[in-house]
Amino acid sequence: MKVSEINIYPIKSLAGIPLESAIVERRGLRFDRRWMLTDKEGLFFTQREVPAMATIAVGLTEGGLVVSANGFEDIQIPFEPDLGERLQVRVWRSEVLAEVYRGAVSEWFSDVLRRNCKLVRMPEYAERHVSERFDRGDDIVSFADGYPLLLIGEGSLAELNERLQGRYHSEEYGEKLPLPMNRFRPNIVVQGSDPFEEDGWARIKVREAIFRVVKPCARCVVTTVDQKRGEFDGKEPLKTLAGFRMAKDVFPDKFEELGQTANAVLFGENLIPDNPGASVRIGDEIEILESRRL
């Protein structure tokens, strides 16, 4: 089994960047979800409410980010805002102090998305912890929903697409298949694993990087957003996933222990780094260090 994709999403819910390699930090891959868009009170925006966020492209430069959207001039964003404004921001039920980009940067996003936005950055001194259930005391996360990294096996997506194609091969929706991996916004994609083999992993090694596989990922309506068009595209793949990937069916005796509700729809696994500072690269082999008792 090998790493076939590495992706980061510097600004939460905007388009991702494929990489050949990445450095693993405590919060996740370097530059992943270190920035976020919020309203004036600091409440986060995602594709759940604003699917058009998917169409805003992000690039990395030596000095920061470059962001582009159709019909607008590109804007350069320095790694750090220079005015020193801070704001307590909220991601789900957790709050953390962030630095605010004032003026032209936040105005650009407000114009593109047609709503008042603030771009914020998570500074190094701010620590947002993962769920207490899985926190060993120093496990922190960026502005990602809950955990530092998300891993998905190519085999799992292949099985899902096979089920979708069997269901819709003679209907209009079938022309949109197969669904691409970017519907699920993973950081690491694995080639060579069996469908949903990752359900049984508890600890893995990628080159020198070691990760705890702490919790399956419960999926939401973002998976129904066409990432190219930035529009909701019906009820799939959640409808089909619900037929065979509910937590009560996949982990009938363990779903509560894994922090899931019975009807949560699962696809992918959340990871926490055990030894930050290591790097991962396309082609790296995946070694299973410990298995999860199913």
Side-chain angles (χ1 to χ4, degrees), residues 228-244:
K228 187 175 181 179
R229 294 187 290 113
E231 298 175 357
F232 288 111
D233 194 29
K235 296 181 179 181
E236 294 292 3
L238 287 179
K239 182 178 178 181
T240 293
L241 282 171
F244 74 110

Side-chain angles (χ1 to χ4, degrees), residues 138-201:
D138 61 351
D139 294 322
I140 59 175
V141 63
S142 62
F143 290 131
D145 276 357
Y147 297 89
L149 293 96
L150 176 66
L151 175 148
I152 297 176
E154 288 183 359
S156 303
L157 179 59
E159 176 167 326
L160 171 60
N161 273 316
E162 185 176 337
R163 289 172 180 257
L164 287 167
Q165 287 167 329
R167 188 172 194 166
Y168 295 106
H169 69 278
S170 61
E171 300 179 28
E172 183 180 351
Y173 189 82
E175 298 176 2
K176 302 175 183 179
L177 300 174
L179 293 183
M181 185 64 81
N182 69 5
R183 280 286 184 104
F184 303 94
R185 300 174 67 82
N187 296 112
I188 295 177
V189 178
V190 178
Q191 181 185 74
S193 57
D194 291 335
F196 303 105
E197 182 178 342
E198 56 267 34
D199 286 344
W201 300 347

Side-chain angles (χ1 to χ4, degrees), residues 235-255:
K235 296 181 179 181
E236 294 292 3
L238 287 179
K239 182 178 178 181
T240 293
L241 282 171
F244 74 110
R245 292 292 301 172
M246 279 192 181
K248 64 184 179 183
D249 301 321
V250 180
F251 301 102
D253 301 318
K254 289 179 68 73
F255 67 83

Side-chain angles (χ1 to χ4, degrees), residues 36-291:
M36 179 174 73
L37 293 170
T38 77
D39 65 14
K40 62 182 181 179
E41 274 81 38
L43 180 63
F44 72 125
F45 288 139
T46 74
Q47 292 180 31
R48 298 171 183 86
E49 309 83 32
V50 194
M53 293 173 74
T55 65
I56 301 178
V58 183
L60 285 171
T61 68
E62 287 188 5
L65 308 176
V66 57
V67 184
S68 59
N70 287 337
F72 294 83
E73 291 188 7
D74 294 359
I75 186 168
Q76 303 283 333
I77 302 173
F79 281 132
E80 299 181 17
D82 60 3
L83 296 177
E85 180 182 344
R86 298 177 184 179
L87 179 69
Q88 195 79 4
V89 300
R90 190 160 75 253
V91 181
W92 299 114
R93 288 177 291 180
S94 67
E95 294 189 358
V96 67
L97 196 62
E99 298 173 340
V100 180
Y101 289 81
R102 299 176 61 187
V105 171
S106 289
E107 289 171 4
W108 187 93
F109 286 103
S110 298
D111 290 342
V112 171
L113 295 174
R114 299 180 181 178
R115 60 181 60 210
N116 289 329
C117 297
K118 288 180 180 287
L119 180 69
V120 301
R121 170 187 175 268
M122 180 178 284
E124 287 300 314
Y125 57 77
E127 293 194 349
R128 176 181 170 237
H129 283 258
V130 303
S131 169
E132 185 177 352
R133 181 193 297 262
F134 303 105
D135 185 3
R136 291 188 174 178
D138 61 351
D139 294 322
I140 59 175
V141 63
S142 62
F143 290 131
D145 276 357
Y147 297 89
L149 293 96
L150 176 66
L151 175 148
I152 297 176
E154 288 183 359
S156 303
L157 179 59
E159 176 167 326
L160 171 60
N161 273 316
E162 185 176 337
R163 289 172 180 257
L164 287 167
Q165 287 167 329
R167 188 172 194 166
Y168 295 106
H169 69 278
S170 61
E171 300 179 28
E172 183 180 351
Y173 189 82
E175 298 176 2
K176 302 175 183 179
L177 300 174
L179 293 183
M181 185 64 81
N182 69 5
R183 280 286 184 104
F184 303 94
R185 300 174 67 82
N187 296 112
I188 295 177
V189 178
V190 178
Q191 181 185 74
S193 57
D194 291 335
F196 303 105
E197 182 178 342
E198 56 267 34
D199 286 344
W201 300 347
R203 199 159 168 262
I204 63 172
K205 184 176 183 181
V206 185
R207 187 174 286 205
E208 298 303 319
I210 297 173
F211 301 96
R212 304 192 324 268
V213 186
V214 292
K215 181 184 179 183
C217 184
R219 308 314 305 230
C220 69
V221 295
V222 171
T223 61
T224 69
V225 175
D226 184 308
Q227 296 292 301
K228 187 175 181 179
R229 294 187 290 113
E231 298 175 357
F232 288 111
D233 194 29
K235 296 181 179 181
E236 294 292 3
L238 287 179
K239 182 178 178 181
T240 293
L241 282 171
F244 74 110
R245 292 292 301 172
M246 279 192 181
K248 64 184 179 183
D249 301 321
V250 180
F251 301 102
D253 301 318
K254 289 179 68 73
F255 67 83
E256 290 182 334
E257 179 184 331
L258 292 170
Q260 299 292 355
T261 60
N263 293 332
V265 175
L266 309 180
F267 194 83
E269 289 285 341
N270 291 300
L271 311 182
I272 296 177
D274 259 359
N275 60 338
S279 63
V280 293
R281 183 177 296 275
I282 296 285
D284 282 349
E285 292 189 2
I286 311 284
E287 180 182 355
I288 311 305
L289 300 179
E290 184 180 341
S291 294

